[in-house]
Amino acid sequence: MIRSVVRGTGAALPRRIMKNADFEGMVETSDEWIAQRTGIRQRHIAADDETTASLGEAAARAALADAGLTPDDIDLVVLATSTPNNTFPATAVEIQNRLGMRHGFAFDMQAVCSGFVYAMTTADLYIRGGLAKRVLVIGSETFSRILDWSDRSTCVLFGDGAGAVVLEAGDGAGTIADRGVLAASLRSDGSHKEKLFVDGGPSTTGTVGHLRMEGREVFKHAVGMITDVIEATFSAAGITADDLDWFVPHQANKRIIDASAKKLGIAEQKVVVTVDLHGNTSAASVPLALSVAVADGRIKKGDLVLLEAMGGGFTWGAILVRW
């Protein structure tokens, strides 16, 4: 049985770090207010010369180096982003070009904060279907470009960055002991669009627009939706929360992370949290957290790791991986 095995991880962050205190002269807020309500202490903000493509390329190169591979070894690049460099072509194609690839294929995937989970699930299907042997899966965002910096309810929450993994075809016995992607569950419900969206686009306003969010509504739905797909993934794999070694959730809000883990019965010491360092980096959130936990030695070969995310749409999903 073909399994999609994680071969390497990588990350890239903009040079500039913006602390909570830096907002105090911009909007009515404070370090204490932001930290208590979100768990965020800082975020990285892209400079003019740092883009979704440049950050994505840097994360991709880091993942390739970690895997001991080169761009020549990659068949497919899937980029999860809501902040592309251009309306078209796909920013994945630009990253493909930056990597010097003249072979294979590349495309973008847009599922907002759930984008990386969607992209990783899609890459797994391409590998298992025999259309690719090795795939670069990237989440890269420059959400600072679409923030309303006068809106304290949103501008303090988001940051920029990129993370990537290399997935590679491997052999498995078809059991839970196999390395690689073991199960996944994806969902969406467009009736919630107005709760989290950007108020612009090429086909409507002809502008980029700004992020708008009904924070209380998002929070209200988040925990229930997250647990829904995680329980479906557990069921598909035939496991329980006790079997997990690590839970790597979307890094949007510490209170959502804590409430979800508690509802699912996942022990606090198994939860990877980086929201304090990065803020909400949308599709880059999960691979950034993954990269941190792999780099510091927490996630090791053989560990059972659950990834989860929820984003605008709403979209939400979970994927279970044996490292």
Side-chain angles (χ1 to χ4, degrees):
M1 181 179 184
I2 297 174
R3 293 289 197 188
S4 302
V5 179
V6 177
R7 178 79 179 265
T9 63
L13 290 163
R15 297 181 297 272
R16 179 189 172 196
I17 295 175
M18 191 171 185
K19 302 280 191 178
N20 288 347
D22 296 333
F23 287 95
E24 292 177 6
M26 298 170 51
V27 292
E28 187 181 345
T29 192
S30 67
D31 176 32
E32 182 183 23
W33 188 89
I34 298 168
Q36 282 185 350
R37 286 161 177 78
T38 68
I40 298 168
R41 294 287 182 181
Q42 65 177 44
R43 72 287 295 145
H44 291 250
I45 302 297
D48 290 345
D49 64 340
E50 294 173 315
T51 67
T52 294
S54 69
L55 293 169
E57 177 199 0
R61 290 190 182 279
L64 286 168
D66 185 49
L69 299 171
T70 72
D72 290 340
D73 299 309
I74 300 299
D75 305 308
L76 166 62
V77 178
V78 184
L79 171 68
T81 190
S82 297
T83 50
N85 276 31
N86 300 94
T87 301
F88 75 85
T91 302
V93 175
E94 183 171 346
I95 293 174
Q96 179 192 30
N97 181 55
R98 284 169 168 264
L99 293 172
M101 291 175 60
R102 298 293 181 269
H103 64 281
F105 59 115
F107 58 85
D108 289 357
M109 178 156 289
Q110 214 279 46
V112 203
C113 300
S114 306
F116 185 79
V117 172
Y118 271 57
M120 198 161 171
T121 304
T122 301
D124 172 52
L125 294 173
Y126 273 93
I127 288 172
R128 289 197 285 128
L131 294 177
K133 183 179 179 181
R134 294 190 185 97
V135 184
L136 257 176
V137 186
I138 308 166
S140 184
E141 300 280 20
T142 46
F143 255 55
S144 60
R145 311 280 206 253
I146 58 171
L147 296 179
D148 177 350
W149 289 93
S150 66
D151 179 7
R152 76 163 187 168
S153 68
T154 56
C155 72
V156 302
L157 303 178
F158 294 89
D160 303 329
V165 303
V166 176
L167 283 182
E168 178 181 73
D171 293 325
T175 71
I176 195 65
D178 289 350
R179 290 186 66 210
V181 175
L182 301 176
S185 179
L186 304 178
R187 287 287 312 280
S188 65
D189 184 348
S191 68
H192 298 287
K193 175 194 168 186
E194 300 300 321
K195 297 180 179 70
L196 178 55
F197 70 107
V198 168
D199 61 1
S203 185
T204 51
T205 64
T207 63
V208 173
H210 293 108
L211 185 149
R212 305 298 178 195
M213 181 172 70
E214 298 176 12
R216 286 193 180 91
E217 286 296 307
V218 173
F219 187 93
K220 184 174 75 175
H221 287 84
V223 175
M225 289 178 166
I226 290 166
T227 54
D228 169 54
V229 288
I230 289 175
E231 287 170 350
T233 304
F234 283 171
S235 177
I239 69 163
T240 70
D242 291 338
D243 298 310
L244 288 180
D245 292 297
W246 296 102
F247 175 42
V248 185
H250 172 48
Q251 307 290 315
N253 184 302
K254 182 66 162 53
R255 292 190 297 167
I256 293 175
I257 293 171
D258 290 345
S260 301
K262 183 178 180 180
K263 185 173 180 180
L264 289 159
I266 299 173
E268 183 180 358
Q269 62 268 26
K270 293 182 177 182
V271 183
V272 175
V273 178
T274 59
V275 69
D276 56 322
L277 302 174
H278 304 146
N280 183 346
T281 54
S282 188
S285 159
V286 170
L288 274 172
L290 258 181
S291 182
V292 169
V294 170
D296 67 21
R298 277 179 288 176
I299 295 178
K300 302 178 293 295
K301 184 177 178 180
D303 283 352
L304 194 58
V305 182
L306 178 71
L307 316 179
E308 160 276 312
M310 175 190 169
F314 289 140
T315 59
W316 62 106
I319 185 166
L320 184 70
V321 183
R322 174 77 67 185
W323 215 253

